Amino acid sequence: MSLSVNSRGSGPDLVLLHGWGMNATVWEGLPSVLAAGWRLWEIELPGHGASPFQLRHDGCEAWADACLEAAPERAVWLGWSLGGLIALEAALRAPERVCALILLTATPRFIRAPGWSAAMDAAVLAHFHDELLANPAGTLDRFLALQVMGSEAARDSLRTLRREVAQRPAPSPGALEMGLDLLRDVDLRERIGSLTCPTLWIFGRRDTLVPSVASEGIASLLPAARRKVIAGAAHAPFLSHPQETGEGIAGFLREISC
């Protein structure tokens, strides 16, 4: 499966993976401190943007493999939400390819489970799944609103997300459904302890999808992880709080060696 990739800039390689229902245009709002001095690889997930979707590629491993195929040989990977889950899987499958990980409002498990309460209620995701079958466009728009709920800049962030999503082809309903399945089913908690690359986890204090207290769970699973919680931000901190998000990521990138 050959995914849509946009490469721009020059310098060390930085792979960018967007979230569920989104596309590569969300990175237009990437903090300028990151856009300069890096070669950005904006990969669109299967069935999102201009990337094709094939039903037989129906697992987190297959999506990660497709992204690895589209990515440079060795790079820093940055994933937002569902994109963070895929980036984690890619780093676990091909550690020699991923020299550092940046996870924006992402966790190794998105749904609550025993010992993992700082996560989304399964009923919320199930409701989105049921609505998606009846009204894909309306469900996606409601999900956009949920991502910015509680943010200090909710109205502006929602306007930005809607505008950016509309610039590219609508995501495949099959890919949207499968993406929700991945968010519901994938659990990488037992595996992330084997990560050897540096990691930075960024959360929004007001995130209603991935509660910021998940940061504490990450600390117990991966003690060496760097963590940052942005006050006033919800699920899209790089849009609502670009300066603080950018400074946090830039500081992390200065500390690592790839």
Side-chain angles (χ1 to χ4, degrees):
M1 177 168 49
S2 181
L3 301 183
S4 171
V5 185
N6 177 49
S7 178
R8 58 187 171 96
S10 60
D13 292 313
L14 176 61
V15 171
L16 304 173
L17 300 183
H18 59 77
W20 182 84
M22 304 292 104
N23 56 57
T25 59
V26 299
W27 303 120
E28 291 178 4
L30 199 68
S32 57
V33 67
L34 301 179
W38 289 83
R39 185 178 182 188
L40 306 180
W41 296 77
E42 301 165 343
I43 300 175
E44 293 185 311
L45 298 177
H48 293 68
S51 287
F53 176 66
Q54 300 170 7
L55 281 175
R56 65 178 180 271
H57 294 103
D58 59 354
C60 189
E61 298 88 350
W63 283 34
D65 285 344
C67 290
L68 284 164
E69 183 179 336
E73 195 59 31
R74 185 166 171 81
V76 176
W77 285 49
L78 185 156
W80 171 40
S81 194
L82 174 60
L85 196 64
I86 304 303
L88 271 175
E89 180 64 47
L92 290 167
R93 294 175 72 76
E96 74 284 357
R97 301 277 307 277
V98 181
C99 63
L101 272 174
I102 302 165
L103 295 312
L104 289 174
T105 58
T107 71
R109 179 175 175 85
F110 277 75
I111 298 299
R112 291 176 191 165
W116 195 256
S117 59
M120 194 187 312
D121 191 309
V124 173
L125 201 63
H127 180 64
F128 270 102
H129 193 282
D130 293 341
E131 286 192 329
L132 182 67
L133 300 178
N135 183 5
T139 303
L140 179 57
D141 193 63
R142 283 190 290 277
F143 192 76
L144 294 181
L146 191 59
Q147 293 191 60
V148 302
M149 184 182 296
S151 169
E152 293 173 333
R155 183 174 299 179
D156 289 341
S157 296
L158 181 57
R159 186 181 301 114
T160 299
L161 283 173
R162 284 173 171 161
R163 182 182 66 248
E164 290 170 343
V165 168
Q167 292 181 45
R168 302 284 284 164
S172 157
L176 290 176
E177 185 176 4
M178 191 164 293
L180 290 181
D181 289 344
L182 296 180
L183 291 173
R184 180 193 65 202
D185 298 336
V186 175
D187 188 348
L188 302 179
R189 288 177 296 165
E190 292 187 0
R191 297 172 57 202
I192 67 169
S194 65
L195 285 172
T196 56
C197 67
T199 64
L200 170 66
W201 305 71
I202 296 179
F203 299 91
R205 180 74 69 188
R206 299 185 180 185
D207 194 343
T208 59
L209 295 174
V210 177
S212 61
V213 289
S215 173
E216 299 172 9
I218 298 301
S220 65
L221 293 172
L222 201 61
R226 296 164 173 85
R227 298 169 291 128
K228 181 176 181 65
V229 177
I230 299 180
H235 197 60
F238 64 100
L239 296 180
S240 63
H241 295 72
Q243 181 173 350
E244 191 170 353
T245 303
E247 289 173 352
I249 295 175
F252 171 72
L253 292 175
R254 284 194 296 267
E255 295 174 6
I256 65 172
S257 113
C258 287

